[in-house]
Amino acid sequence: MAKMLYSVTMSLDGFIAGPDGDMSWLSDYLGPNPAVEELIGDIGALLVGRRTYGGDDPYAGTESEGEAFGGGWDGPQFVLTHHAPDRPVPGVTFVGDLDGAIAASKAAAGEKYVNILGADIARQCLEAGALDEVLACIAPVMLGDGVRLFDHPGGTHVKLERLSVSQAPLATNIWMRVVR
């Protein structure tokens, strides 16, 4: 059965996007990363939050604009939203509830990963007990403000087990398992 993985690039100070979801900072840190390149082949489906789906694209202005992993991945995408667009989007299924989105994305992924994109959807999956692993690619930059990797007002304690640590020219990768 598919595992749920939150993979993300973040700044050293814990932000995955700048203020108002700005992703332009990320374009300076996109580069060869063997951990990510290997992961792409192991992804069977994407589960994406609505703000991430409709937000900034670090590949804006390039041939890869609008493509998952800069065009390196292609497959079924599931967007959790209460406001689906009027017109269908090829390859994208809009789902109105978390349980339905998790079930549909896992079924589509088969034995591969469901890769979660978006901080809020990752938090929701964690709270629902559905998040299995986290891959944080830490870029050598501090943004100072923006969207945090994990934000839970009032706090919560989430125990993680380190599975691996690796490095690439523009990132240090930490892969962890959620301990239940």
Side-chain angles (χ1 to χ4, degrees), residues 137-148:
C137 303
I138 303 167
V141 64
M142 290 191 278
L143 298 178
D145 193 12
V147 178
R148 293 199 173 278

Side-chain angles (χ1 to χ4, degrees), residues 15 25 40 51 64 66 73 81 83 86 96 98 111 119 127 136 139 143 147 150 154 157 166-167 172:
F15 296 99
W25 71 274
I40 289 172
R51 280 185 294 239
S64 300
W73 182 85
T81 181
H83 305 288
D86 294 332
L98 181 64
E111 295 296 317
E127 289 175 352
L143 298 178
V147 178
F150 177 72
H157 185 88
S166 63
Q167 62 185 31
T172 300

